[in-house]
Amino acid sequence: MPKPATPWLSFALLAVLGLAGCGDDAAPPTASSAALAPSDPALAKIYDSSCKLCHANPASGAPQSGDAKAWQPRVAQGADSLLDHSINGFKGMPPMGMCMQCSEEEFLALISFMSGQPVQ
């Protein structure tokens, strides 16, 4: 009879599966992405609860907050494309980016913050 998995092993498996939805393009680590936060308290709260899991974790494959080089080709696609990807999901990004209550304006402000570039 097989031996049941230990609880910590189950937790580790769940953590890995949770990150699987974040993205699929490996990005180089950015030392300060985990410490970044929007200056607006309301956006900082949304970022912390919705965006940070993937955009401050190099293992996720998502473009890291503050990594302008990684964000440049995405920002070049324009606001409409970025909003579409945020709302409907894209590759490993879940629909609504785990922020079901976010408005289009909040998505654009968060993308501008994470990319370090104005989104138009």
Side-chain angles (χ1 to χ4, degrees):
M1 178 177 242
K3 186 176 178 181
T6 60
W8 69 267
L9 184 58
S10 298
F11 175 76
L13 179 60
L14 285 173
V16 168
L17 290 174
L19 288 175
C22 293
D24 56 358
D25 294 330
T30 53
S32 62
S33 64
L36 295 176
S39 58
D40 177 280
L43 280 180
K45 185 175 181 181
I46 294 169
Y47 175 76
D48 194 48
S49 65
S50 299
C51 311
K52 190 174 183 177
L53 177 65
C54 296
H55 292 282
N57 179 0
S60 72
Q64 298 298 284
S65 296
D67 186 349
K69 184 177 179 183
W71 279 96
Q72 181 54 42
R74 293 161 172 91
V75 171
Q77 295 177 20
D80 289 341
S81 179
L82 289 166
L83 277 174
D84 178 63
H85 293 168
S86 298
I87 293 168
N88 297 309
F90 184 73
K91 294 188 178 183
M93 183 173 171
M96 300 300 289
M98 298 178 17
C99 184
M100 300 305 159
Q101 76 280 3
C102 281
S103 68
E104 290 184 1
E105 292 78 19
E106 288 169 321
F107 279 126
L108 290 174
L110 288 161
I111 294 166
S112 291
F113 159 72
M114 290 186 287
S115 69
Q117 303 165 57
V119 177
Q120 302 174 356

